[in-house]
Amino acid sequence: MHKRIALLLALVLLSVFLTACYDSREIDDYAYVVMMGIEHGVSDRIRLTLQIPEFTNTNMSDSGGGGGGNGGDDEERAKKENITVEAPSIFAAVAEADTFIPKTINFMHLNAVVVSEDFASSGEMKEFVVNLLRYHEIRRNTSIIVCKGSARDFVMAARPYLGSLVTETMEELISKADITGYFPKLTISDFAIKVKSTYTQALTIYAALNKGDNFIEKGQYYTGGFKAPSDFYAGDMPRTGGQEIELLGTAVFELGNMVGKLTGFETQMVELTLGNLKRTSLTIPDPLEPELYIPIEIKELEPPFTHVDIKGEKPMIHTTLSLEGEIVTIPSGINYESPDMKGIVEEAVAQHIADGIKRTFAKCQTLKTDVFEYGTEAVRHFWTIQEWENYNWRQKFSEASLMLHVDFTLRRTGRFIETAPVQEEKK
Amino acid sequence: MIKDGKFGYHEAISIFVITIFIKVFFTSPTMVAKIVGTSGWLMTLISALSTAFFFTFQYLLLKRFPNMSQMEINDTVLGNKLGRLLTFFFSAYILIVAGIDMREFIEVMKVFVLPDSPPSFIMIIFCACIVALCATGLETIARFAKFIVYIVIGGYILVILLSIPNFRLYRLFPLFGYGLDKTLITGFLRSSYYGEIALVGAFAKSLQGSREIKRIGYTSIFLTGILTSSACLFFNLAFSYITAQEQVSPMYTLATMVNLGTFLQRVDPIFLFLWNFGTFIEVSVFFYASMVMFCHVFEISDRRPVLLPMTTILFCINLIPKGLNEVSTELVQSLRTWGWVFYFLPSVLVLIIAVLRKKKGELNNA
Amino acid sequence: MLKKLKKLFIYESPSNQEREFRFPENPGETATWDIYRGKQENLEKYMDNSGSGKDQDINNDNDSEYEGKGSEHNKKDDRSNNDSQNNRDEKKEKSKKNDEQSDDRDTRDKSDNQADESESNEREANEREDNEANSEKRISENDNDHENEVNTPRVIIKTLRSHKPITVEEMIKESMRKKREKFKNSKAGNNGKNQKDDRNEDAPKLKNVSHSLKENIEYLENLYKIPANKDLIIRKFNIARKIPACLVCVDGMIDRRIVIQFALPELMDESNFKDYDPGKEYILDYIERNVLTIDQLVRMKVFDDINPQIVSGLTALFIEGCDECIIMESRGFEKRSVTHPVTETVISGPQEGFTEALRTNITLVRRIVKSENLVTEFEFLSKRNNFLCAILYMDGITNPRLVDEVKRRLKNLEIDYISGSGMLEQLIEDKTNAPFQQIIATERPDRVASFLMEGKVVIICEGTPFALAMPITFFDLFQTSEDSNLRWQYGSFLRIIRLLGFLLATFLPGMYTALILFHQEMIPTSLLSSIVASRAPVPFPTVLEILLMEFSFELIREGGIRVPGVTGNTLGIIGALILGQAAVQAGLVSPVLIIVVAVSGLGNFTVPSYSMSLTIRIIRIALILFGAMGGFYGISAAFTILMAFTLNMKSFGVPFFAPIAPFTRSNKDKIIRGPISEQTYRTDFLNTLDKKRMATEPRGWMRGDGGAENDQGR
């Protein structure tokens, strides 16, 4: 009996061993897509761009030595590694790509999905992007980026920078959101949840290619007043060099369509209100000498407190931000460290932040998009889903009024305990 | 010869905790979200309470007939023929449940991990595990469960801890989901979720007396109630109630969302182990219980020859459903909603008849 | 059948006086006994034999405590004489008659012709029906049927020889066992027969030591096939120039000094026997008390007991007229000195290992466990090579039922040859097909000591430097003696490292295979890129690649042992390095894989038990195959199947994963080793007689006035 069972088991196992491995694929049989670009196609409904880097050992020495310099080789490579197909759907495009790519296309290591701004605004994006999650190879923590201009160009321009892999570059770049707050750190999962949610509206990272067009090499020196840093959209930064892609700002969606975008500064304000920024840097105009700036490092003292009053006709939103900070420099040389002067800076910072938030709030109200996620507070007043859905928060938000209170405490002043004036010519 | 053996409090609780709790890893929470929205955690607590209420009848029955298994009690109270008929139906039901749960696992497995493998391939491996576990007896299953319960609960807690960054408290609101009344009624009906505790009757002889059974039953219900409720709660925190309704397996999806730095992400295949071990045990327990009852009905003393044929039946039951949707939305849904008819109603009826006919077990040891 | 068997041993009616055997208590009675059995010529000869008669007198008269035994001696002696006389002339006739009597005896008798005492006894058991018939015949006729005469008293003697009372059931069992044995022997075929044919048929068939020295010598010469066999020394001499005697020992096994300095001179020296009064004292008693200056002396009567002693290197002294011989300790064969343990080296702790000598090993243990409760029982196991093993346990700690079980298993071994502890381990373990070992072999006396104190039974065998401890659990396989020698933090740390090593060794290659083939998403992209890049030139599928590499590492490991001399150790390292490097350069394997295989190999070496590390290597291969088949799903299936068999395993009734599954009360000594002072209880599953190891607070100085804060006034 034992022998027979053993024999039977052995036979079954043997047949399994011999015939199985249905899902087993050698690791190098796959073509790993790391970036995907989606936009309107010309000859078909969509144009899909896939970046499939070639993993070689020489990769490391090549880009490490070359950096951004030897363009010719890199361009050739970029051309080889990026493929663009036009097809009626994403997976049709993938199937078509299989006709000229020898390895199986695999999305397991997909790092970012890039959607062109046109495509996002046209309302087709929700259909394509949300359904991506249905496919088991696509990971929920893939980043989603809306880019200005062509998604194909963006994917082509996304090259490994100071590293060997574009995924590392993108991951590190996106993780910067925690520090600067100039763009949100959002994944395709967040997008899918928010786009269907009744509490909030969807957001994505806004990005663009910056080829240095805004960079004016020679000209008149700047004499204008104070400008908040990053208070512009991606692609507008006056810079040159480095890699071309640039993440800055937020793409704002309403009902799955992109309806607007926030600047870097506005995004920073939103992130501060949401409590996502544990620490960031902010530059404010010097309260006493408005020509000059005071850079300040801001930390969150307490999580932001929000209460939404829905008793009235229009909801009242009360928000309190508690922040603390540290002065980085004082170009004006005014002794803000002293207890009398400290209050002035604190007041100025609080005012600056409050202004920024109010500005952003007003902008979002016109877009009917609750980027501050105040809906999540409003929902606490409801017992059942039916009541909540009937309340129609989206409509109510655009009518809401904001009561903002910002507390800022100056804790430290860097390594200087007070500012001794720079020697000036005696008059 | 397959022996039941004896096992203690810890092992028994491990068995029931795994058997009941493992279902939360599959499509059940999605269905819960669909029915009651955000208040799944509350609903499942109500289910646990009503299960505890139902279990009391079974406990009273087992207490009335100490040192007897459910099958023997059925025979004593209802007479040999009717009792065996009841046992046979229950045995068949349990086998079908085992088959459906196994198919559910296989479908989910196919969706997430092994999309190209035919179900029969996954089933053959699965059946090999069941045969190995059942051939070595209930005691071994209990001991294995003891091991695995740490892994399952530890892994579950780990997934939850790693997912904390994805949690948003507001997703819990509105508190009562689609209405308190709906939550309460569904909670009562879905007590079948905890129905596996009724298998304690089949294993009664391996446990140490009715006091122990009482402890095991209530502790298991309590533990799984807490665990399942927490799972529903956390799924709700991670997905809004709308997104939660779409997931094939919220738990696995939760694991895929883990994203802590560049290294600690995409760790979800590790959690496959929890699933696999847990489901192996769950189905084995069902299967074993079914086998015990079957052998009792036909007075088969040596269970080994029954093992392989029954595995074949299980395999065939597995092949019946057409696909995932049929399994999750129809079969599993009806099991969870109407399972209590099979799990608890017989005990209640048998208890009533026993009281009416004034049958009582011997009080030699109790 | 059984009823008939019972009849044989039960005295049915008082009228059957002949069956109520009573041992003859004095020479007169013996004579009557013999007359009754119709052996007059024997009796006459017996009476004439003055020498032995004298001895007998001494035996009977002087020492009252010997009386009972003495009478037995007479009986046996009588019988042996009887045999020696009768055998020669009756043998052939007897066999012929037997042939005629029954057909089934036919084959047996051919071998029985030459068979010695025990075999004819065995035949007795088989022929109980004949016996019964015979005895009945005898009762009624009381004639001189020689054959029946020969048969019947043997039955009596057989029952006589067992000194303790035997129940009927036991006798039945015994006879059944012998019958089976007999059957096996006959099955064994002609080999045995041919061997026996060589023997001198005329030699006396002795069961016990004979009074006649000549007979003893003849018997021994026949048994040991002297002169063909050159190993046995039979040194004939006269005690005090009067009494003929001989020393029997095996050349090479003995310490010559004992024989030359302390046995022969003392015995031969006449002055030693000045006080000897043959009338008052039994010669053996005298020699034992006054002459031989050797520490260990035992007296033995039965040759079955004596022979194993002689072949193990003890010296037997046979004296004319004595039906006992003195066995003296003289073992002095060449043996290895106590050295470092080879397989279980530790850094802190004693550095002694067992050797091949049983005595030395027991001494090593006793030096650690200096307790009157340490019991050492000896047992000869195999039939042909008289394999000696010692069963050690702590009386008052070890559960007696465990000791009984171990002894039961040892005693019921029916095997010709056991080479050492490894073979014994396989013969007494619970499940032969189980994946893990169920008995632990250790080379370290301190480990044996701790096993003993924990309540386990230890078997130490002759000829192997490994002691077997039982029962064991999974966690014992991870412990070394170092754990308890070190402070608990270090001990726990080492144990965790070891467990990690075990897990790595078992699961890493399988997991790697599954990861590479099924779960590519789990590999961080940067790692993936380097794996893909390194795998690009490799032509094999991953499974083949990893199996190839595993196989070559196993080759290196196994080959390294065989390589002679110092190079063996280095070959392993260098071979692995060169092979790995070359394989990578040749594009046969990817470098990541080399690391995987090397790490799992290293992990394997952290496991202290050699058997365990072999188990791991086998499981590893299985896991690789399952991993290649179904990824993590396959691995979990393999693990489940493995666990199903492992959890079903028991070592002497103790489940393999005892303190965890099933849950029993235990100290913190499974993976984390708690502080020594908290190891209050012995492991629960061993059901020891003394559950507590120490006081609840063993450090008495912590209590009382001084307490822990006593700083001597500083």
Side-chain angles (χ1 to χ4, degrees), chain A residues 370-385:
Chain A
D370 177 15
V371 293
F372 295 96
E373 299 188 358
Y374 288 134
T376 63
E377 294 302 320
V379 73
R380 291 172 203 228
H381 298 284
F382 297 90
W383 285 111
T384 65
I385 293 171

Side-chain angles (χ1 to χ4, degrees), chain C residues 652-672:
Chain C
F652 289 80
V654 175
F656 194 55
F657 279 97
I660 288 186
F663 180 79
T664 57
R665 192 199 61 202
S666 58
N667 292 318
K668 261 194 183 168
D669 196 19
K670 283 161 281 181
I671 293 164
I672 302 276

Side-chain angles (χ1 to χ4, degrees), chain A residues 49-75:
Chain A
T49 310
L50 304 174
Q51 186 175 119
I52 303 166
E54 188 186 3
F55 296 134
T56 49
N57 280 329
T58 49
N59 196 354
M60 218 174 285
S61 57
D62 257 19
S63 64
N70 47 353
D73 196 27
D74 204 47
E75 225 164 75

Side-chain angles (χ1 to χ4, degrees), chain C residues 503-515:
Chain C
L503 291 176
L504 280 179
T506 320
F507 292 103
L508 187 64
M511 294 284 247
Y512 174 80
T513 321
L515 208 61

Side-chain angles (χ1 to χ4, degrees), chain B residues 219-234:
Chain B
T219 319
S220 304
I221 294 172
F222 176 74
L223 278 178
T224 45
I226 296 287
L227 282 169
T228 316
S229 173
S230 72
C232 285
L233 191 75
F234 291 132

